[in-house]
Amino acid sequence: MDLASRLLFLLEVSELGSFAKVAEYRNVNRSAISKQITKLEEELEVYLLNRSTRAISFTAAGVEMLNQAKQHRTVLSDSKRLAQNYHTEPRGELKIASPTLFGRQYVQQAVTIYQEKYPDVTIELLLEDRLVDVIGEGFDLGIRMGEPLESNLIARKIARNRLLLLSSPAYLAKFGEPKSIAELEQLPAVVYCAPASS
């Protein structure tokens, strides 16, 4: 258990009035609460509580630590509330990388629809055919064709990418119909090659 968690225990002891009530609230053994408060005192090297068989009271240092614990709890509550806002209504920046043709045909339209629905999100869309380094270049989302290469990325299949080999009748009439990959490779062609990632 860390310092922040023990401070919250101290605050609960103050608010509920005893170790026993905190233990009941937390559904743990009373001695566990006492041990955590003792460890807090050891960590801070100062006594926080005056204990007796009938009651507990806070030392001057204990009162100061209670103030710190209250501030800490407020920060935690604000952080949780802020995180919940992101669950209910997306906001912030979203950086997306997509192959050029696919991005122009599909992603740009999706981005426009998304921004109309969530105006608090700013989207940067990179349309480029090189294989971007999603993590290294700070992208939140990268759209790829084929099998993912990086094992440390979370991948989701969004659609099948069917490839067809087509030819015009005039081309086949002029050069003949290939019967194998080797024959196909011998036919005249202009080949597009995207630059590899560095």
Side-chain angles (χ1 to χ4, degrees):
M1 184 170 289
D2 60 9
L3 173 64
S5 299
R6 291 187 181 118
L7 279 173
L8 292 178
F9 270 151
L10 183 72
L11 184 57
E12 289 173 1
V13 170
S14 168
E15 292 173 343
L16 297 177
S18 70
F19 290 174
K21 289 181 180 178
V22 174
E24 184 181 345
Y25 172 72
R26 290 272 185 167
N27 197 25
V28 296
N29 193 294
R30 181 189 179 282
S31 63
I33 304 299
S34 179
K35 285 177 184 176
Q36 292 304 323
I37 299 299
T38 299
K39 285 182 180 179
L40 177 62
E41 290 177 322
E42 290 171 356
E43 189 172 358
L44 297 175
E45 298 180 349
V46 65
Y47 286 110
L48 303 173
L49 296 171
N50 296 312
R51 300 169 175 85
S52 72
T53 55
R54 295 185 178 182
I56 57 173
S57 62
F58 286 84
T59 65
V63 172
E64 288 296 320
M65 288 302 108
L66 283 175
N67 291 332
Q68 292 296 317
K70 288 175 184 175
Q71 291 176 26
H72 173 65
R73 184 169 64 184
T74 300
V75 169
L76 285 179
S77 297
D78 290 346
S79 299
K80 287 178 182 176
R81 195 163 35 251
L82 181 62
Q84 287 169 351
N85 288 341
Y86 275 88
H87 287 296
T88 56
E89 190 70 25
R91 65 188 69 230
E93 297 180 0
L94 184 60
K95 191 174 177 184
I96 304 171
S98 170
T100 305
L101 184 60
F102 185 85
R104 285 180 179 161
Q105 192 165 0
Y106 299 106
V107 182
Q108 283 182 333
Q109 181 181 358
V111 164
T112 301
I113 294 170
Y114 188 89
Q115 286 193 299
E116 287 174 359
K117 188 172 182 180
Y118 303 110
D120 291 334
V121 178
T122 303
I123 299 179
E124 178 184 340
L125 174 61
L126 174 69
L127 300 180
E128 200 168 288
D129 291 327
R130 70 180 176 87
L131 194 62
V132 301
D133 180 355
V134 174
I135 296 174
E137 296 180 48
F139 285 96
D140 301 295
L141 174 65
I143 296 172
R144 302 273 175 84
M145 304 293 179
E147 293 294 323
L149 301 178
E150 299 93 339
S151 60
N152 57 340
L153 297 178
I154 299 171
R156 296 285 185 270
K157 180 179 177 180
I158 58 175
R160 290 182 62 193
N161 182 27
R162 297 181 63 194
L163 299 177
L164 300 175
L165 186 60
L166 305 172
S167 173
S168 68
Y171 184 89
L172 294 178
K174 184 174 182 179
F175 297 105
E177 182 177 339
K179 304 296 183 188
S180 66
I181 297 295
E183 289 182 14
L184 179 65
E185 289 175 345
Q186 299 306 311
L187 294 178
V190 176
V191 179
Y192 171 75
C193 181
S197 60
S198 55

